[in-house]
């Protein structure tokens, strides 16, 4: 079940986390959906020669985990994503274990808006992405079944 936290329920300092490890398949799926085929992400031979000396996960794929937390955990269903700032601090590699933490940093009652401090760290405790998100928090309590995600098959094109 996906259960939200309404604007009135949210407390300053409250947080939610998500753990995720990216695989090669995640990069391929993101490249297929977004069209971002930058060789730094999809060409291991090229990537060996660039500034990071190897394939790195798309920055926006890592940042998408922030949206996942907002829409499924805190505040959850009914949340409207309004604004996001991002700082990409270190590259994310295939196999990195990422911990995404969002913390309520400010509530703006006149508009039911909530600001969240966003922090993504890898298995070594290094911050890889930081930023701030602003949402329109739900005012109505919702508890919905978690939708099934379709199976996706990748074929070289």
């Amino acid at each position: 079940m996906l259960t939200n936290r309404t604007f009135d329920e949210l407390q300053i300092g409250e947080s939610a986390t998500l753990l995720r490890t990216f695989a090669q398949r995640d990069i391929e799926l993101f490249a297929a959906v977004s069209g971002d085929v930058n060789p730094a992400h999809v060409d291991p031979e090229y990537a060996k020669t660039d500034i990071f000396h190897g394939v790195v996960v798309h920055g926006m794929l890592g940042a998408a985990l922030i949206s996942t937390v907002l829409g499924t955990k805190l505040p959850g269903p009914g949340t409207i994503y309004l604004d996001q700032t991002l700082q990409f601090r270190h590259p994310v590699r295939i196999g990195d274990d990422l911990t995404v933490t969002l913390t309520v940093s400010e509530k703006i009652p006149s508009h039911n808006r909530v600001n969240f401090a966003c922090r993504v760290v890898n298995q070594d405790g290094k911050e890889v992405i930081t930023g701030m998100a602003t949402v329109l928090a739900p005012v109505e309590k919702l508890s919905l079944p978690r939708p099934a995600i379709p199976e996706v098959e990748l074929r070289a094109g």
Side-chain angles (χ1 to χ4, degrees):
M1 292 296 281
L2 299 176
T3 301
N4 70 3
R5 304 266 299 142
T6 66
F7 180 85
D8 290 337
E9 292 174 319
L10 292 169
Q11 300 295 317
I12 302 293
E14 180 177 0
S15 65
T17 61
L18 172 72
L19 306 175
R20 178 73 193 270
T21 304
F22 285 120
Q24 178 64 37
R25 183 172 190 272
D26 298 310
I27 291 174
E28 293 165 354
L29 284 166
F30 189 81
V33 170
S34 69
D36 184 350
V37 293
N38 179 334
H41 307 302
V42 298
D43 182 346
E45 289 306 309
Y46 169 82
K48 286 182 198 174
T49 69
D50 76 5
I51 190 171
F52 299 117
H53 305 291
V55 170
V56 294
V57 174
H58 297 80
M60 292 308 291
L61 178 54
L65 298 177
I66 294 168
S67 178
T68 301
V69 174
L70 291 170
T72 64
K73 293 185 172 213
L74 191 66
T79 298
I80 305 296
Y81 208 164
L82 298 174
D83 188 56
Q84 179 73 60
T85 64
L86 296 167
Q87 295 84 42
F88 299 98
R89 306 224 178 256
H90 291 283
V92 174
R93 307 272 183 189
I94 294 169
D96 279 357
D97 297 320
L98 301 182
T99 302
V100 182
T101 305
L102 272 58
T103 305
V104 176
S105 60
E106 180 183 20
K107 292 177 66 176
I108 305 162
S110 60
H111 295 93
N112 294 327
R113 291 183 183 202
V114 181
N115 291 329
F116 289 87
C118 307
R119 186 170 184 254
V120 182
V121 300
N122 68 13
Q123 66 280 353
D124 299 322
K126 259 189 196 172
E127 286 185 334
V128 295
I129 303 170
T130 59
M132 291 293 293
T134 302
V135 304
L136 181 60
V139 294
E140 184 179 312
K141 191 70 176 173
L142 295 172
S143 192
L144 305 167
R146 181 179 284 274
I149 299 173
E151 293 269 336
V152 177
E153 183 179 323
L154 288 172
R155 288 187 285 251

